[in-house]
Amino acid sequence: MGKSVKEILIDGNGYACIQCGRCTGSCPSGRECSLRTRKLIHMARMGMDVIKTEELWDCTTCFTCQERCPKEVKTTDMIIELRNLAVEEGYFPTMSDVPKIIIKSLYDTGAGQPLSPEVSKIRAIIGLKKEAYDVSTNAETLKKFQRLLDGLEITKKGGLR
Amino acid sequence: MEEYAFFPGCIAKNVYPGIEKATRIVFEKLGIGLRDYEYSCCPPPGVLACYDKPSWLVMGARNLSQSEKDGLNPMTVCSGCYGTLHNVWYALKNDPDLMGFVNDHLGRIDAEYKGKVHPIHFVDILKNYKEKIAELKEIDLGLNVAVHYGCHYLKPSSVTGENSERPTLLDELVGLAGCKAVPFKDGLTCCGAGGGVMSGEPDVSLKIINTKLNNMKDANVDAIVNICSFCHMQFDQSQKKLKTTEIPVLHLNQLFGLAFGIRPKHLALHTHLVSTRDLEKKLKDLKKGGE
Amino acid sequence: MSDEWEPKIVGFLCNWCCYAGADMAGTSRMHYPANIRVIRVMCSSRINAEMIIKAFQTGADAVFIGGCHPGDCHYVDGNYRTKKRIDLLKRLIEHIGIEPERLRLEWISAAEGEEFAKTMKELRDDIKKLGPSPLREIAREAI
Amino acid sequence: MKRIGVFICHCGVNISNTVDVKKVVEEISKIPSVVACADYQYMCSDPGQDMIKKAIKENQLDSVVVAACSPRMHEPTFRATVSDAGMNPYCFEMSNIREQCSWVHLDGEKATKKAIDLVKSSVARASLLEPLVSQGVPVVPKALVIGGGIAGIQTSLDIANSGYKVYLVEKEPSIGGHMARFDKTFPTLDCAACILTPKMVDVARHPNIELLTYSEVESIDGSVGNFHVRVKKNPRYVDMEKCTGCGSCAEACRLAGRIASEFDMGLGKRGAIYVPFPQAVPLRYTIDPEKCLFLKHGKCGTSPKCADVCTTDAIKFDDKPEFVEFDVGAIVVATGFKEFSAELKPEYCYDKYPNVMTGLELERIFAPSGPTGGKPKINGKEPKRIVFISCVGSRDKKVGNAYCSRVCCMYIAKQAHLLKEKIPDADITVMYTDMRAFGKGYEEFYERVQKEGIKYRRGNAAEVYGQDGKLFVRAEDTLLGEPYELEADLVVLGTGLTPNPLAEGIGKLLHLSLSSDGFFLEAHPKLRPVDTVIDGVFLAGVAQGPKDIPDTVAQASGAASHVVNLLSKDEIFAEPTIAVVDEDACVGCKTCMLLCPFEAHEFDEEKGVMKVNAALCKGCGSCAAACPSGSIRMNHFTNDQIIAQLLEVL
Ligand SMILES: Cc1cc2nc3c(=O)[nH]c(=O)nc-3n(C[C@H](O)[C@H](O)[C@H](O)COP(=O)(O)OP(=O)(O)OC[C@H]3O[C@@H](n4cnc5c(N)ncnc54)[C@H](O)[C@@H]3O)c2cc1C
Ligand SMILES: Cc1cc2nc3c(=O)[nH]c(=O)nc-3n(C[C@H](O)[C@H](O)[C@H](O)COP(=O)(O)OP(=O)(O)OC[C@H]3O[C@@H](n4cnc5c(N)ncnc54)[C@H](O)[C@@H]3O)c2cc1C
Ligand code: SF4
Ligand code: SF4
Ligand code: SF4
Ligand code: SF4
Ligand code: SF4
Ligand code: SF4
Ligand code: SF4
Ligand code: SF4
């Protein structure tokens, strides 16, 4: 079980927020969409449904807001925690397929971005091994890796279990 | 010999192998050893940390544990990988309970992470080799470039210890290759790829990068130089989609590769979506002129 | 009246904060058990090992020290010194067989009457659970 | 054996409703040393007190115990009572059977038992109490004021007007502090010079004030009533007696107009010989030794121009530091503040663009004596689009300043108003976090400037950036929930007030504590805001914490009245409840010395033993508790007294 909104606020120093808006003003994403970092903190503190808002997923985790906050509110860390809670409560973002694909790829190959035959060819041409050395190089290691993932929540959330 | 565990990350090996290649060449020339390990994806903060932070911590710690018995610090060529591994290291170092939790899981596959090795970003190694790089330089590239630090190398500064508002390292490093870092509007903003936005909210992601690319274009740069495979992918792929700009994209190691006289093809520049042909031509002329 | 065993507690309270807090509990008529016997000192840092050991030797089941909150000390930082001394003493009394919980240090301000009353209740209940001080038995035998 | 009298109070029914007073009397009367024991309805009433006085005389009592309310309530009353009857007041002891007994326990039996224990314990203590005599210390009827800002000026004048001598020490060549830099002051828009300059002149002319400018306090010894002070007067290289302040030298100086003026925040220029500003007090010139050609290289052209033109022969290149020593009875610390260093907020690009300025710099732009002659010109041009940013370096934990600076909201309003007045078509926006306009007339002023067309947009600026020679400010309008950008010709940072690093040394000399914000700590935040825990040392102005001029002046007058109160006494009596070292037993380990927060211990090198300076000791007893050889006696709280009390209650 993850943290509650209240615990997230406490750990992230959210109760120190003075609603100055320096976070939103710093946010490269909010300029292009409806994300208002300050508002997320306000909603969380007022007990509103912050985890249901889609803007929660517009944050690129660039940390600019956290860097600029004069009250040391850990805005970005909190957004990440709030997303965890959202996932737990079933509020996936709109394009919910993508993460599932990535998680599956991760499980099957150890890589979120798997190697395609084309790139494999390029690797050979530029003088690299056709396939990189990684967790999938050794079948035994990959099995172990999958065993590790079997015991983690992420495979459940990714729909693999 | 100074030696590191090489953590290439998914993109440098599976999408832009030119980055892996350039890294191996540059580090060999510098006389720095790189050892390979059975790594998995870092895993990325966007999709993994946001979906299940505990899983992200465990998988990150597994990666960190790989080279611990050899005492080698993992070196990353991607600020995303660096961000993940560094944040995992930082969180575990400061929270014994979390360390215990992670090791309970790792114990299931006979692994353990003690926190003895920590990730290091490749630019933090290169900054100690400025003289050697200058020595190895065969061509003064003479390019006007837009440098992109990538968010997770700089921030949060409480964790990275970097000067997040006024970094200067890349300006100095590209200078070693005879290039000039041209200031451009909002030079430090995010490329828009992280946090799962590139995959989850592609429209927003493209808008962010579009603004950024146009700012670079306004500064009349010859190339974008990055230190992060993920940003590299965003810069290269999004230009193909947006079709408003056409600025060649180079990972810093590719830039050094060129300066060291490596042929562009060996650095896989021809596989980039944004053509590097004009850039290569410029360099060829330069070389001719020089000889 | 029940003959149930009640712990004997000695309290050393600093004049400026905790003693005033105890007074405040009085003025606000906050009730608490009558186990404590208070000795007023100017600063909690006046208390030394000799006094505390003596208290246990002569039959105290618990010793309570009350001072000002950090930063509020009338003598700048006396309470820091008290804290250091008491932490050390806790380890020491453990050596001679007294549970460290029997030595309790709290910061209570002049305004925290309620806190004082609450602490007195808690302390009495905790010590009741622990039972009579082991030293008290030894002391009695020695006499 | 001592003869002790015990008096037990009913407090109407406050005590006797719970505690069986008769039973207490019965038990206590059994104690052999108790030769008199009685109870009474109201012990503190006149008949109650008379009863005690009578008993003292009739029974030749050595000590008296009153069991009643808290000693924090009536100990002073009864000390006076016994004193009246000829007993030493320190032979009096009080038992608290009301606040800590009858009022907090419901069970009468247990409360009575506790009351008996407490009184027994007091009796045990009383039999060991000893008479103590307060030492009178003569008071030197003079005061030292450190810092010559408006706080120091006001304090000095108030003390001097009461007839006491004041030494006013100021580090800079002139008094005036920050206020001298302002053009107008909020909210009344008084001209700062018009209200400050007369006071500065009064200071210079006052027969009771000795002004020591360009000077530093080197050392302070002693204690309340009797401090010994040593002050270093830095060489000015101009003879103060001879200089008439004509200014010919400054005009002639080879470096005239080539050195950044500190007073003008670096915006204006001065020469190597200068006065900080035309109304300086004293109006005497000073040569900057770091810059002057002659002082640095021994040569200024063919001959030093300043000396050439000075008709009074005041230039004195061989000037040396001078030291003055004097005694004072009280000290006021009025060392003010330092403006927040704006480069610590790099996102506002203060260090990058000349048209990003701080509040204090803008004050100089407005001032008729300032670098632009009072014309609001930035780089020679009148700014039309102006953005103010509030809370720069205040309410900001990231830079370590958690507190609100209390003046910036209002000085921003003032400056916005002044700009609008001078540039009527200016477009002025204030980006703010919260508006704090709590003083008299402040809210009204805030309303007024909004009527004048100043835009207040809630939501503070996130960053400033430059593009193609233009300046932009980014923020979120938090009321609209919309991020936006504004182009600006001038960005003014509402920088806050931070502790003055120049005052650090003073704090150390006087053993002053700092509060968590880094300003000097007052003895009590509400009831003793001008005192410190060091007797005889007081605070005034921003040295104690951010405040505006009205509050500064009020506190300065408060500090002055405390000083006058102290100086008006011939002698002051320190509490005799202090630590005393038994020289025969002390092993010279110096354990005590490390503990004392007031540095009251002095080591006698000759005898190899410690001594306690009675004037400095505040009687915490910490050293007595720690002395490994048991040689420190804590008067009125001796080991024996405490242990005797302890044995009775167990
Ligand atoms: C930009 C700005 C605008 C303001 N506008 C207004 C306004 O309009 N109205 C208003 O009410 N308030 C205003 N204020 C607040 C006002 O400045 C202060 O309330 C006031 O100056 C405090 O006076 P002070 O004497 O305590 O401190 P200061 O003015 O700082 O004086 C302290 C003096 O002590 C001297 N000193 C320091 N250390 C030593 C030492 N060790 N030895 C000897 N001397 C020393 C200093 O040199 C200085 O002369 C403004 C503040 C700022 C920053
Ligand atoms: C709800 C509330 C809560 C507050 N909380 C705080 C707080 O937590 N902390 C804080 O610092 N401040 C607080 N304050 C402010 C605080 O109350 C005042 O600062 C303080 O009481 C002012 O004291 P005073 O002596 O000036 O006025 P008052 O307390 O009003 O005293 C004036 C006295 O003068 C008497 N009087 C009036 N006219 C005459 C006359 N003609 N002849 C004789 N006597 C007369 C009145 O009867 C009264 O006793 C609070 C205020 C309010 C309203
Ligand atoms: S910057 Fe910090 S204090 Fe300001 S609104 Fe954002 S989270 Fe709150
Ligand atoms: S971390 Fe997210 S919310 Fe914060 S500035 Fe970056 S994109 Fe915006
Ligand atoms: S002495 Fe104290 S307890 Fe006795 S009547 Fe007076 S106030 Fe009440
Ligand atoms: S010329 Fe002489 S008298 Fe005139 S100001 Fe200069 S030093 Fe003073
Ligand atoms: S000696 Fe020269 S430089 Fe120095 S103050 Fe005189 S004229 Fe100026
Ligand atoms: S006075 Fe206003 S501007 Fe200054 S710190 Fe306080 S709230 Fe911010
Ligand atoms: S601690 Fe005691 S023995 Fe040691 S120097 Fe001080 S007085 Fe003397
Ligand atoms: S009693 Fe306290 S103040 Fe006095 S000398 Fe000892 S430690 Fe210092």
Side-chain angles (χ1 to χ4, degrees), chain B residues 4-13 16-27 34 42 74-83 85 119-126 148-149 153 226-233 250-254:
Chain B
Y4 294 92
F6 183 24
F7 190 93
C10 301
I11 296 163
K13 62 188 167 77
Y16 286 88
I19 300 177
E20 178 182 337
K21 181 71 192 306
T23 304
R24 291 192 189 277
I25 294 175
V26 168
F27 278 73
L34 297 180
C42 51
M75 177 195 89
T76 74
V77 290
C78 171
S79 301
C81 303
Y82 175 74
L85 297 178
I120 184 157
H121 196 288
F122 81 101
V123 292
D124 286 330
I125 301 171
L126 292 186
H148 180 75
Y149 283 86
Y153 169 65
N226 63 74
I227 57 169
C228 170
S229 323
F230 200 58
C231 303
H232 183 94
M233 179 161 87
L250 296 176
H251 189 271
L252 181 65
N253 281 335
Q254 288 176 314

Side-chain angles (χ1 to χ4, degrees), chain D residues 9-12 14-15 41-45 66 68-70 73-74 78 94 98:
Chain D
C9 184
H10 293 245
C11 198
N14 275 305
I15 293 170
Q41 273 313 102
Y42 294 104
M43 219 66 237
C44 60
S45 65
V66 170
C69 49
S70 170
M73 175 109 185
H74 273 316
F78 293 116
M94 208 161 167
R98 193 179 74 169

Side-chain angles (χ1 to χ4, degrees), chain C residues 1 6 8-10 12-13 15-20 22-52 54-56 58-61 71 73-78 81 85 110 116 124, chain D residues 14 70-73 75 79 93-96 98-107 109-111 113-115 117-118 121 125 511 513 521 528 533 594-598 618-626 632-634 637-639 642-643 645-647 649-650:
Chain C
M1 261 315 300
E6 282 290 340
K8 280 190 171 183
I9 304 170
V10 181
F12 294 101
L13 313 190
N15 178 61
W16 308 98
C17 294
C18 195
Y19 193 92
D23 278 357
M24 177 61 93
T27 2
S28 327
R29 311 296 200 277
M30 286 161 174
H31 300 286
Y32 56 84
N35 306 62
I36 189 144
R37 301 290 182 268
V38 167
I39 294 172
R40 180 170 72 125
V41 285
M42 283 298 132
C43 176
S44 57
S45 69
R46 173 68 189 96
I47 305 311
N48 61 11
E50 191 196 341
M51 295 165 191
I52 290 167
K54 191 91 187 173
F56 281 119
T58 33
D61 296 303
C73 176
H74 192 75
Y75 305 98
V76 187
D77 57 0
R81 275 168 275 145
R85 212 173 275 162
F116 183 81
R124 186 272 219 139
Chain D
N14 275 305
S70 170
R72 292 175 56 86
M73 175 109 185
E75 190 177 54
R79 273 192 180 165
E93 166 65 9
M94 208 161 167
S95 240
N96 185 344
R98 193 179 74 169
E99 281 85 345
Q100 297 188 13
C101 190
S102 72
W103 275 351
V104 288
H105 305 314
L106 291 169
D107 182 329
E109 203 173 315
K110 284 185 176 164
K113 168 86 179 67
K114 178 171 174 179
D117 280 358
L118 290 177
S121 148
R125 175 172 160 79
H511 310 300
S513 314
L521 180 68
R528 296 178 66 200
V533 291
L594 298 173
L595 281 177
C596 179
F598 306 102
K618 298 252 179 299
C620 68
S622 197
C623 59
I632 301 185
R633 183 189 161 81
M634 183 57 229
F637 291 92
T638 65
N639 285 355
I642 293 174
I643 299 228
Q645 265 182 289
L646 184 67
L647 294 180
V649 295
L650 288 171

Side-chain angles (χ1 to χ4, degrees), chain C residues 20-26 28 30 32 108-119:
Chain C
D23 278 357
M24 177 61 93
S28 327
M30 286 161 174
Y32 56 84
I108 295 176
S109 82
E112 292 172 335
E114 193 173 354
E115 185 64 28
F116 183 81
K118 205 179 104 213
T119 309

Side-chain angles (χ1 to χ4, degrees), chain A residues 9-159:
Chain A
L9 277 165
I10 289 172
D11 289 356
N13 213 6
Y15 289 107
C17 171
I18 48 173
Q19 290 288 303
C20 68
R22 282 187 243 205
C23 44
T24 314
S26 302
C27 180
S29 186
R31 273 167 228 159
E32 315 287 359
C33 65
S34 56
L35 170 61
R36 302 289 174 263
T37 320
R38 171 195 56 77
K39 198 172 155 194
L40 293 179
I41 309 288
H42 183 62
M43 288 179 78
R45 291 204 302 198
M46 295 303 115
M48 295 168 178
D49 274 339
V50 63
I51 56 168
K52 289 187 192 164
T53 59
E54 292 199 10
E55 297 95 277
L56 199 55
W57 299 89
D58 286 328
C59 163
T60 68
T61 69
C62 75
F63 282 101
T64 313
C65 50
Q66 186 159 324
E67 204 61 20
R68 296 264 173 83
C69 175
K71 301 295 278 186
E72 296 185 329
V73 179
K74 294 180 185 161
T75 41
T76 315
D77 290 347
M78 283 171 64
I79 287 172
I80 292 172
E81 301 268 16
L82 287 168
R83 285 180 177 183
N84 271 265
L85 189 62
V87 171
E88 211 166 278
E89 310 256 312
Y91 302 110
F92 271 76
T94 34
M95 316 277 287
S96 59
D97 274 359
V98 184
K100 289 191 179 168
I101 294 167
I102 294 175
I103 292 165
K104 175 143 188 359
S105 160
L106 192 65
Y107 190 82
D108 292 343
T109 69
Q113 289 272 350
L115 183 68
S116 64
E118 297 80 44
V119 177
S120 183
K121 241 180 259 159
I122 297 171
R123 288 184 61 93
I125 292 170
I126 62 172
L128 289 169
K129 284 202 208 90
K130 276 189 72 133
E131 277 168 13
Y133 187 76
D134 60 21
V135 65
S136 63
T137 307
N138 185 332
E140 204 45 43
T141 312
L142 185 63
K143 249 201 210 106
K144 265 194 182 174
F145 176 69
Q146 286 169 344
R147 188 147 31 96
L148 182 70
L149 262 59
D150 286 337
L152 294 172
E153 285 293 302
I154 195 73
T155 40
K156 209 190 260 169
K157 289 179 181 166

Side-chain angles (χ1 to χ4, degrees), chain D residues 238 242-250 273 285 306 309-312 314-315:
Chain D
V238 171
K242 291 184 183 161
C243 175
T244 61
C246 72
S248 310
C249 52
I273 186 161
Y285 279 65
C306 53
V309 298
C310 180
T311 51
T312 62
I315 308 290

